[in-house]
């Protein structure tokens, strides 16, 4: 659950789940985009972009602080480890790249908004830039004016066969209404209580789906990909590289072309993570972090973000806060002391316990008071429905235990995953560079003798072949004199850091130089 | 005329999508650095506990 927003552009209330920026909304299709709105949209986009660079460091400080506290590390040990590792320098490098990215993105946005603006011919008052927010407000009013027993959501739940009841809390400001969903069966296992913000009071409340089960077309319309539910479930319950590939192959056929391209890039990043020593579980959770909200999104991440902290979750739900009670087996997390948590796959509606509705007209500026109201509403939930929740201390130790068990499983699984992946990558580069004339079986045999893996061995062999050819082009320059453009800027052809993209670039360079050599000799 | 602004809004959305993808890659890079660093830190902490036990 990332990012926050100060100005929200137009949103559609209907088919979109968690869509914070609506690339195209029905309102705008009819009315068009006026100059003032575009100006605000551009400013908001720039703010969002700036926020990303600020968060990248503050988040890491928070993460380090939390972990060092739980490990009881002295500040001397922490500082010494940081110096030895070159921690600050490495993070500074990321920060510099983030700042460059922010600057270029802001310049790109400014270039768009500063082009001569179109004259508006809309019939409504062009000064009213908050047209859609106003409509949202009216929608909220309508909802709030309905009798408590027939709230719009209660009707939605009824249609879906879910019994619910509304509870009013006197003098509790923004959080003075709670909908309790009656459980059809009482859980026999202990549960953990987590929270998720909601932005649409419609049937999407009951259809919380992970990025991996979404597709967004060019007009910004969301499709829920029910036919990959089985593959997503298999992946989250058994996060192996094989299950990941099964999902990727199935979803590839039903995604939009742009999404397929993104899917391949994401898979490539995931594979690199596995090659770097991370488990498939871990790299999938890295994928979840990629989505910082702000833009309607689909992706490879098979999780739904939630939080153990209701106040944090409330920051992401302008219409309400969902109270979810799930078994530990239904969530994925890195640390037992973290508030952020991932729900595995699509959320089964039986785990939704309550919805705290927000009356935005009564929104509280004082965060402390707002938090008290949330606590008050949650107390009401606690009194209204009996759910077998872990107590705090047991929950913490159970979370720790599960993380440790998963880590143990992951160690064994990683060996299998990386072997399968290396084989796949090796076969691919052998095919991609046929002139290198490499035999897989022979390379595998030699890799064992050289105490390396087959993928590294084949990469090195291809690199060496092109290096030799490059240095024969007769320009009296060594391979170190050349650079290539990677995703992270210009890099040297470093034999210690060979990757497939580097090999492609090296191949291109060699062909170019050989061609020039031929032309010179004509 | 309004179509022009709609197109500009779409262009901004495209810029944001690209930005998000690149920022996500940076976040992934950052998380890897933190993850490896925490392993180093854990080792260092264990080491100092071992030293302390030796002295005792």
């Amino acid at each position: 659950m990332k990012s926050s927003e100060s100005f929200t552009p137009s949103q559609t209330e209907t088919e979109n789940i968690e869509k914070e920026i609506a690339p195209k909304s029905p309102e705008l299709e009819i009315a068009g985009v006026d100059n003032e709105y575009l100006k605000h949209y551009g400013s908001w986009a720039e703010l969002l972009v700036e926020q990303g660079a600020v968060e990248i460091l503050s988040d890491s400080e928070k993460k380090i602080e939390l972990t060092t506290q739980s490990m009881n590390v002295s500040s001397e040990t922490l500082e010494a480890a940081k110096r030895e590792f070159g921690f600050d320098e490495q993070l500074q490098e990321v920060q510099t790249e983030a700042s460059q990215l922010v600057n270029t993105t802001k310049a790109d946005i400014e270039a768009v908004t500063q082009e001569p603006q179109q004259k508006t011919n809309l019939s409504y008052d062009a000064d009213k830039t908050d047209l859609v927010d106003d409509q949202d407000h009216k929608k909220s009013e309508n909802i709030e004016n309905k009798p408590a027993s027939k709230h719009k959501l209660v009707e939605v739940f009824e249609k879906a066969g879910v019994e619910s009841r509304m509870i009013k809390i006197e003098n509790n400001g923004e959080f003075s209404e709670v909908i309790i969903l009656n459980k059809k069966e009482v859980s026999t296992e202990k549960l953990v209580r987590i929270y998720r913000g909601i932005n649409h009071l419609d049937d999407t409340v009951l259809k919380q789906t992970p990025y991996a089960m979404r597709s967004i077309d060019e007009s910004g319309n969301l499709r829920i990909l029910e036919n990959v539910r089985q593959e997503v479930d298999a992946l989250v319950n058994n996060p192996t590289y094989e299950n990941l590939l099964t999902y990727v192959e199935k979803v590839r056929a039903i995604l939009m072309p742009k999404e397929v391209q993104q899917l391949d890039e994401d898979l490539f990043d995931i594979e690199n993570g596995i090659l770097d020593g991370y488990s498939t579980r871990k790299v999938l959770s890295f994928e979840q972090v990629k989505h910082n909200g702000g833009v309607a999104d689909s992706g490879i991440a098979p999780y739904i973000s939630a939080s153990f902290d209701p106040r944090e979750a409330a920051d992401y739900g302008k219409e309400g806060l969902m109270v979810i009670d799930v078994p530990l087996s239904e969530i994925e997390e890195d640390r037992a002391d973290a508030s952020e948590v991932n729900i595995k796959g699509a959320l089964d509606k039986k785990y939704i316990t309550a919805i705290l509705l927000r009356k935005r007209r009564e929104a509280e500026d004082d965060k402390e008071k707002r938090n008290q109201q949330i606590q008050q509403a949650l107390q009401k939930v606690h009194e209204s429905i009996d759910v077998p929740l872990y107590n705090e201390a047991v929950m913490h130790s159970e979370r720790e235990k599960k993380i440790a068990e998963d880590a143990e499983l992951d160690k064994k699984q990683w060996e299998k995953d990386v072997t399968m992946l290396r084989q796949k990558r090796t076969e691919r580069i052998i095919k991609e560079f046929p002139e290198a004339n490499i035999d897989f079986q022979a390379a595998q045999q030699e890799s064992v003798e050289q105490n390396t893996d087959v993928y590294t061995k084949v990469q090195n062999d291809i690199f060496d072949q092109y290096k030799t050819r490059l240095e024969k082009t007769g320009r009296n320059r060594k391979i170190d004199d050349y650079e290539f453009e990677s995703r992270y800027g210009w890099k040297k052809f470093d034999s210690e850091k060979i990757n497939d993209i580097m090999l492609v670039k090296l191949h291109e360079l060699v062909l170019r130089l050989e061609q020039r050599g031929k032309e010179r000799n004509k | 005329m309004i179509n022009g602004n709609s197109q500009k809004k779409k262009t901004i959305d495209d810029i944001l999508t690209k930005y998000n993808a690149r920022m996500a890659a940076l976040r992934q890079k950052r998380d890897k650095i933190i993850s490896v660093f925490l392993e180093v830190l854990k080792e260092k902490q264990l080491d100092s506990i071992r030293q302390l036990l030796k002295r005792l």
Side-chain angles (χ1 to χ4, degrees):
Chain A
M1 305 180 78
K2 297 272 164 196
S3 158
S4 54
E5 52 192 299
S6 50
F7 165 75
T8 313
S10 64
Q11 298 190 347
T12 58
E13 188 72 20
T14 53
E15 72 273 38
N16 302 322
I17 294 174
E18 224 196 18
K19 190 169 160 186
E20 286 160 303
I21 298 176
K24 204 173 183 185
S25 67
E27 290 93 334
L28 292 173
E29 275 305 278
I30 298 159
V33 177
D34 75 321
N35 292 340
E36 201 63 28
Y37 177 85
L38 185 72
K39 203 173 118 193
H40 276 266
Y41 194 80
S43 309
W44 172 83
E46 285 185 36
L47 273 176
L48 181 88
V49 166
E50 277 172 15
Q51 181 76 6
V54 175
E55 278 177 0
I56 205 157
L57 270 202
S58 61
D59 280 3
S60 33
E61 279 159 17
K62 218 162 96 185
K63 278 180 185 172
I64 295 290
E65 201 185 312
L66 279 170
T67 314
T68 48
Q69 271 172 8
S70 70
M71 281 166 63
N72 212 9
V73 178
S74 69
S75 55
E76 291 80 20
T77 311
L78 177 64
E79 287 312 313
K82 276 186 174 176
R83 272 196 306 277
E84 264 174 46
F85 185 71
F87 182 71
D88 291 338
E89 292 76 12
Q90 292 196 41
L91 274 193
Q92 189 51 48
E93 204 179 301
V94 176
Q95 177 64 41
T96 308
E97 285 184 44
S99 303
Q100 282 167 354
L101 175 60
V102 166
N103 290 341
T104 51
T105 308
K106 278 176 68 182
D108 288 349
I109 294 170
E110 267 166 34
V112 176
T113 50
Q114 282 174 5
E115 279 171 29
Q117 294 197 332
Q118 306 293 324
K119 200 183 161 197
T120 176
N121 62 354
L122 295 183
S123 56
Y124 65 81
D125 184 355
D127 289 337
K128 283 189 179 168
T129 55
D130 58 347
L131 175 74
V132 182
D133 272 349
D134 193 34
Q135 283 181 346
D136 274 352
H137 183 68
K138 279 175 193 151
K139 272 179 201 162
S140 295
E141 266 184 346
N142 289 340
I143 288 164
E144 286 158 16
N145 289 338
K146 281 191 175 191
S149 59
K150 277 290 170 191
H151 186 279
K152 178 185 168 184
L153 260 192
V154 173
E155 287 172 11
V156 167
F157 294 159
E158 258 174 31
K159 270 187 203 161
V162 177
E163 279 181 32
S164 62
R165 60 204 149 99
M166 170 82 101
I167 296 174
K168 291 258 184 192
I169 309 165
E170 291 297 319
N171 304 320
N172 203 42
E174 195 179 353
F175 293 90
S176 58
E177 287 178 340
V178 174
I179 299 176
I180 304 281
L181 283 79
N182 297 343
K183 304 272 183 191
K184 280 188 178 158
E185 50 191 85
V186 180
S187 170
T188 50
E189 60 181 318
K190 288 277 187 191
L191 306 172
V192 291
R193 177 156 289 177
I194 54 178
Y195 307 91
R196 177 169 165 82
I198 48 175
N199 290 307
H200 305 281
L201 296 178
D202 53 30
D203 60 348
T204 59
V205 168
L206 296 174
K207 293 176 189 162
Q208 303 288 311
T209 47
Y211 296 110
M213 284 179 65
R214 303 181 193 180
S215 170
I216 293 158
D217 68 19
E218 280 164 5
S219 310
N221 299 315
L222 175 84
R223 254 191 321 148
I224 294 177
L225 309 174
E226 273 304 330
N227 37 358
V228 291
R229 183 184 283 267
Q230 205 181 327
E231 286 73 17
V232 168
D233 284 347
L235 179 60
V236 290
N237 290 312
N238 189 14
T240 66
Y241 179 58
E242 191 177 5
N243 281 343
L244 174 65
L245 289 185
T246 308
Y247 159 75
V248 166
E249 286 321 305
K250 179 96 179 260
V251 81
R252 185 189 300 280
I254 47 178
L255 289 179
M256 308 296 294
K258 249 189 173 178
E259 290 176 315
V260 172
Q261 196 186 339
Q262 187 63 48
L263 178 81
D264 286 331
E265 283 175 19
D266 291 345
L267 180 63
F268 191 70
D269 285 344
I270 286 177
E271 290 182 344
N272 288 341
I274 297 172
L275 290 169
D276 284 346
Y278 293 97
S279 66
T280 303
R281 190 193 310 272
K282 192 87 176 169
V283 283
L284 284 174
S285 71
F286 286 153
E287 279 301 309
Q288 185 75 6
V289 186
K290 272 188 181 183
H291 300 274
N292 65 340
V295 176
D297 232 349
S298 61
I300 216 165
Y303 306 117
I304 298 169
S305 296
S307 176
F308 276 95
D309 181 352
R311 296 159 302 179
E312 181 188 41
D315 287 339
Y316 296 92
K318 66 180 182 356
E319 294 292 350
L321 182 65
M322 185 183 282
V323 181
I324 305 162
D325 295 321
V326 282
L328 266 178
S329 56
E330 291 291 328
I331 60 171
E332 199 70 83
E333 54 184 338
D334 284 341
R335 295 196 325 268
D337 56 359
S339 57
E340 288 187 11
V341 60
N342 290 330
I343 298 169
K344 292 178 178 178
L347 177 67
D348 189 326
K349 58 179 185 276
K350 73 180 179 188
Y351 295 131
I352 305 173
T353 296
I355 308 291
L356 274 53
L357 300 169
R358 298 184 84 152
K359 281 187 178 177
R360 282 185 288 145
R361 275 180 307 166
E362 292 174 35
E364 187 58 70
D365 286 336
D366 183 343
K367 266 213 160 183
E368 198 49 47
K369 273 192 187 165
R370 188 201 72 158
N371 292 341
Q372 281 171 9
Q373 290 168 357
I374 294 174
Q375 283 311 327
Q376 185 71 22
L378 289 175
Q379 179 60 28
K380 208 73 183 166
V381 174
H382 176 71
E383 289 163 9
S384 309
I385 185 162
D386 194 18
V387 179
L389 296 174
Y390 280 110
N391 75 43
E392 200 68 27
V394 178
M395 178 176 78
H396 191 267
S397 66
E398 288 296 315
R399 285 169 70 188
E400 273 186 336
K401 202 171 112 192
K402 182 175 168 285
I403 292 168
E405 283 168 2
D406 286 345
E408 209 42 53
L409 283 176
D410 286 348
K411 263 190 209 164
K412 291 175 194 151
Q413 186 57 46
W414 181 80
E415 294 289 343
K416 294 179 195 165
D417 286 353
V418 81
T419 305
M420 186 178 177
L421 169 57
R422 282 175 182 151
Q423 177 159 346
K424 181 189 156 203
R425 284 275 184 101
T426 308
E427 284 167 355
R428 197 174 74 189
I429 55 173
I430 287 178
K431 220 183 258 179
E432 198 166 350
F433 303 99
E435 58 186 1
N437 199 21
I438 289 170
D439 177 68
F440 181 83
Q441 298 300 337
Q444 194 159 40
Q445 182 62 36
E446 285 169 29
S447 71
V448 176
E449 288 159 15
Q450 291 170 14
N451 202 20
T452 183
D453 65 84
V454 66
Y455 180 45
T456 309
K457 158 86 184 141
V458 171
Q459 278 185 324
N460 283 333
D461 288 353
I462 295 172
F463 183 87
D464 289 343
Q465 287 194 28
Y466 287 126
K467 182 180 173 228
T468 309
R469 275 172 64 179
L470 179 81
E471 289 174 351
K472 270 189 195 163
T473 50
R475 308 191 86 209
N476 222 7
R477 289 173 75 183
K478 296 223 150 141
I479 194 161
D480 291 346
D481 300 328
Y482 296 96
E483 287 188 333
F484 69 99
E485 194 175 8
S486 78
R487 270 164 76 184
Y488 303 113
W490 289 91
K491 302 271 175 197
K492 289 219 174 281
F493 291 100
D494 184 349
S495 61
E496 297 296 315
K497 294 176 185 168
I498 301 172
N499 60 51
D500 295 0
I501 291 166
M502 184 199 285
L503 291 179
V504 170
K505 298 286 179 184
L506 181 58
H507 179 214
E508 286 170 2
L509 176 67
V510 169
L511 291 182
R512 210 165 48 241
L513 293 178
E514 286 177 344
Q515 182 61 31
R516 272 193 218 157
K518 275 183 202 164
E519 283 164 9
R520 267 202 313 271
N521 293 334
K522 265 183 192 173
Chain B
M1 281 192 283
I2 291 305
N3 283 343
N5 281 347
S6 294
Q7 189 52 46
K8 283 182 187 176
K9 181 181 170 290
K10 216 168 161 255
T11 309
I12 294 175
D13 288 333
D14 287 344
I15 294 170
L16 282 175
T17 305
K18 275 183 204 149
Y19 161 82
N20 253 23
R22 294 189 61 193
M23 193 53 97
L26 284 177
R27 249 182 248 114
Q28 190 174 6
K29 199 171 165 185
R30 176 202 66 190
D31 287 346
K32 280 185 186 174
I33 294 170
I34 292 175
S35 197
V36 176
F37 172 69
L38 288 177
E39 286 303 314
V40 171
L41 188 63
K42 216 182 277 173
E43 269 308 306
K44 214 166 172 53
Q45 177 77 340
L46 281 174
D47 205 42
S48 58
I49 293 170
R50 274 189 221 112
Q51 296 295 335
L52 194 68
L53 285 174
K54 255 189 205 171
R55 268 184 263 149
L56 287 173

